[in-house]
Amino acid sequence: MRNEECIFCKIANGEIPSNTLYEDEGYRVILDLGPATRGHALILPKDHYADLFELPDQNCEQMLKIAKKMGALMKERLGCSGMNLVQNNGESAGQTVRHFHIHLIPRYDDGSRIVAWTPGEPSAEELAEIRDTICG
């Protein structure tokens, strides 16, 4: 199913031109127009899912396989030494287009770190309380 108003649906289905790196019947991988690094790409399903929570399980499996394949190709061809897979869900998490997608961000030894945070120092009690809230 597609959303006729969704820009990523239009790109994934070839209605809007893109620099396509890979395509099959259900997915398209394109170069990002505002790349974080050289080779930054997006994996787009051709069907519309707003976020991870709408994505069927079989799509999750297939998209991770594509990420592995494309990441290996980027390491070989671009000479990157690492790879960030970034996937945002919801505005508060940085999602700007409400169409599920995975960012493949090649990392280079001389590059900056984009995905980083300062580790917190929760107590054992805080961790137990969070665990109980989630699982209890």
Side-chain angles (χ1 to χ4, degrees), residues 17 33-34 39 49 62 65 69 77 81-82 92-93 96 104 106 114:
L33 292 178
Y49 306 103
Q62 188 59 31
K65 287 179 181 180
K69 175 181 179 171
R77 304 267 175 91
S81 55
S92 63
T96 58
L104 294 172
I114 294 172

Side-chain angles (χ1 to χ4, degrees), residues 84-88 101-105 115:
N84 288 120
L85 300 181
V86 177
Q87 202 286 303
N88 304 317
H101 57 285
I102 298 174
H103 292 261
L104 294 172
I105 305 174
V115 180

Side-chain angles (χ1 to χ4, degrees), residues 32-89:
D32 194 301
L33 292 178
T37 64
R38 183 173 181 268
H40 180 169
L42 303 175
I43 305 172
L44 306 172
K46 291 184 178 181
D47 287 333
H48 184 82
Y49 306 103
D51 56 30
L52 177 65
F53 309 107
E54 288 187 5
L55 191 71
D57 289 347
Q58 64 269 19
N59 293 69
C60 294
E61 180 180 345
Q62 188 59 31
M63 290 185 79
L64 198 52
K65 287 179 181 180
I66 293 169
K68 180 179 177 182
K69 175 181 179 171
M70 294 307 301
L73 187 62
M74 288 175 172
K75 285 184 79 170
E76 175 189 329
R77 304 267 175 91
L78 295 177
C80 58
S81 55
M83 179 75 54
N84 288 120
L85 300 181
V86 177
Q87 202 286 303
N88 304 317
N89 294 281

